[in-house]
Amino acid sequence: MSTIQQVYNTFILACAEYEKYAFDGQELYSNGARSGTIMFDKNMRDMVVEYSFMKLFLRWEDFLEKVFVKYCLDFEGVNGNKLTRYVNPRDESHAYEMIRGNSSYPDWTNAEKIMKTATDFFQGGGSFSKLRLQSTHINDTKTIRNALSHMSINSQQKFESLVRNHHGHYPLNTSPADFLIMIDRRSTATPITYFHHYVATLKFLATEIVNP
C-alpha cells in the first residue's frame, strides 16, 4: 500500500508532466511546426493544452481522494505527523464508503465541500482546512474544467466571467487553451501563464495537505 509521500510524489511529477505538454504544444504552434503537409495548427495546440489541463485536474482529484483515505487509516503525513481522527475504518474500501456516504461518489472538485467533510472526519478538518488559503483559485480550475467538459450556456458564461475578472475583458471566442497560455497579469515577478499559476497553486496546496 502506497504511503502519503508516494501519493504526493506521483502528483508532483504529474504536475510537471502536464505543464510540459502544455508548454510544448504552445511552442510547436508558435514555431509553425509541421511534418510534411501537416501543420501543427491552433486546433492541435488547443487540444494539447486543454487535454493537459483536464488530466491535471483529474490528478488533483485523485490526489485528494487518496490522501483523505490514508489519513482516515491513520497514515503519517510527509512530516511524520498524523491527523486526529473521528473515524476508524477497517480498510481503504471501508474508508471510501464512509467518505462517500449517501452520494454516488465523493465530490473532490469543491473546496468548501471537502473542508466541510473533513471536519466530520478529522479534528479541525485536519490539513484539508488549508484549502481555504486558495479556494478561489481551486474554483477557477473547476470553472475551466467545466468549460472543457460541459457544453452548456452556464459553463461558458462562468468561464467568460473568469476571463474578464483576471484579464480585464473577454476577447471574442477565447478558448480555455487561449486563456491558459495567457500571461497572468497579477504576477509581479517573472511573467507566468495562467496554466503555470494553477499548477503552482495545486502544488502548494498539496504540500500543505501532506504536511499537517
Side-chain angles (χ1 to χ4, degrees), residues 159-170:
F159 171 69
E160 291 178 13
S161 178
L162 183 153
V163 176
R164 289 191 191 94
N165 289 339
H166 291 303
H167 199 59
H169 67 291
Y170 176 75

Side-chain angles (χ1 to χ4, degrees), residues 7-16 18-19 51-64 67 108-111 114 127-128 130-145 180 184 186 192-211:
V7 173
Y8 173 74
N9 291 346
T10 297
F11 176 69
I12 295 301
L13 287 173
C15 285
Y18 293 121
E19 185 173 17
Y51 177 79
S52 297
F53 187 84
M54 283 292 291
K55 292 292 287 185
L56 173 68
F57 193 88
L58 290 171
R59 286 284 193 166
W60 169 243
E61 291 183 89
D62 181 66
F63 165 81
L64 290 171
V67 173
W108 302 109
T109 69
N110 187 307
I114 296 168
S127 53
F128 293 95
K130 299 292 184 67
L131 293 174
R132 187 169 288 107
L133 298 172
Q134 301 285 349
S135 60
T136 299
H137 299 313
I138 296 174
N139 291 336
D140 283 354
T141 64
K142 182 177 180 179
T143 296
I144 297 167
R145 190 288 303 263
L180 288 167
D184 184 351
R186 301 163 300 175
I192 59 173
T193 64
Y194 286 105
F195 197 112
H196 179 83
H197 164 76
Y198 292 124
V199 168
T201 297
L202 297 182
K203 287 168 64 176
F204 165 76
L205 289 172
T207 302
E208 291 292 310
I209 288 170
V210 301
N211 287 285

